[in-house]
Amino acid sequence: MDLSNKKILILGTGANGSCAAADITQDGYDVMLIDQWPDHVNSMNKNGLTINFPEETKQVNVDAYHLCKLAEMNAKFDYVFLFVKAYDTAWMTQLIRPYLSDTGLMIGVQNAMTAQRISDIIGPNRTLGCVVELSSELFTPGIIQRDTPQSKTWFGIGALSDSIVPRLNEVKQILSSVGNVDVVEDIISAKWMKLIINAMCMGPFAMLGSNLYEGFKIPGMRELVMKIGTEALLVGQKNGYKIVPIFGLKEDQISNSNNPIELMLDKLIKDIGPNARDAVFHDHLKGRYSEVDEINGLVVELGKDKGIDTSINEQIVKITKKIHLGELEPSIKNLNTFKKYI
């Protein structure tokens, strides 16, 4: 279908948002980027985006604006892809709401359970849920290290309202510029599956100052991670979330597996490669607040409501907070807290 006359906004151009913006722009769509980091915006406008893949480098000129310029714009966007941190979802959605066209769609390409949060503000008839598998890093303005090429990048998209199911193919076409795209019938369960994987591999390894590849070499770490995932899976099941395939896996692969969450985790590790460092690892390096409260913290919160023991996830949350406050450093010593579990 011809979407050349449609206006696309990438709202939040951190590492993943920049990767998507570069690919979609390069495929000829009408794309605008908005971000709140002035140095990054200035660099993008001066030099374009540099995307360093494991085996190649791409340079793409983009149309980028600082967030403060939004109030000066008269634009109406047909598609808004939200790439900000989960905890920034509500205010960013409120902010962009007046700039979404009457038939526009908003897609939260994020970790955690943000789809309902977006829907509560702009309505289910304009909201698509999205699960993403894309590993990238941003430390220097305008320069991205992308660990997963298009062939290993995956999106799952799904409607929150039956009325917009026919429009899923529009968003699939756009995101196909960035990676593989599947339409997922139960997108909310899919987002919980991704939350389980994030709970297993973001906070736990970041607290050690390690990436997944090196972290799994630590004795007892895989066992601990699987217990974290088991807590999250049980909480999800008690809250009505189903086990559904993500990361491009198929239903028969999940149904025939003795441990579907381990299968999903291993698929992720294989796709991102040995050098990738997750977002919480980056946050610790930069002294920033992370999404652990939105991930492991949500497991704990919902677990309490159902009377489920989530003590390991709770410890991940506590240690992460101490690291953010400067009371602890990311270190393998933090694993001592979990000795009774491994």
Side-chain angles (χ1 to χ4, degrees), residues 196-252:
I196 292 173
I197 303 304
N198 283 341
M200 296 164 71
C201 67
M202 293 178 72
F205 290 94
M207 76 174 184
L208 306 180
S210 171
N211 65 10
L212 292 180
Y213 186 80
E214 295 298 327
F216 270 122
K217 295 178 182 178
I218 300 172
M221 195 60 190
R222 179 172 282 268
E223 182 181 1
L224 177 65
V225 162
M226 292 312 304
K227 288 181 178 180
I228 292 169
T230 299
E231 287 183 356
L233 179 63
L234 181 57
V235 169
Q237 289 175 322
K238 290 293 185 180
N239 281 275
Y241 302 128
K242 298 179 176 64
I243 299 175
V244 298
I246 57 175
F247 303 153
L249 293 167
K250 304 303 179 185
E251 182 62 45
D252 62 330

Side-chain angles (χ1 to χ4, degrees), residues 47-159:
N47 303 311
L49 271 169
T50 300
I51 313 293
N52 292 315
F53 291 84
E55 297 181 355
E56 64 174 324
T57 295
K58 291 184 178 180
Q59 191 82 21
V60 182
N61 291 327
V62 293
D63 186 24
Y65 297 84
H66 190 273
L67 189 63
C68 69
K69 294 292 184 179
L70 180 62
E72 301 173 14
M73 296 179 184
N74 294 317
K76 289 282 187 177
F77 297 100
D78 298 292
Y79 308 96
V80 174
F81 292 90
L82 186 65
F83 276 89
V84 299
K85 297 282 191 180
Y87 49 74
D88 284 330
T89 300
W91 74 267
M92 276 288 205
T93 303
Q94 289 281 12
L95 185 69
I96 206 63
R97 182 180 181 181
Y99 304 91
L100 187 64
S101 73
D102 292 341
T103 58
L105 297 176
M106 190 160 179
I107 306 97
V109 193
Q110 303 165 282
N111 294 321
M113 304 300 285
T114 59
Q116 190 60 53
R117 210 172 300 174
I118 295 169
S119 176
D120 288 345
I121 295 170
I122 64 169
N125 61 323
R126 296 203 288 175
T127 305
L128 290 186
C130 182
V131 181
V132 57
E133 180 190 17
L134 170 56
S135 175
S136 58
E137 304 181 37
L138 167 59
F139 284 91
T140 303
I143 302 175
I144 314 298
Q145 177 64 44
R146 180 168 173 176
D147 301 302
T148 49
Q150 283 92 337
S151 62
K152 293 184 177 180
T153 297
W154 177 85
F155 300 94
I157 58 172

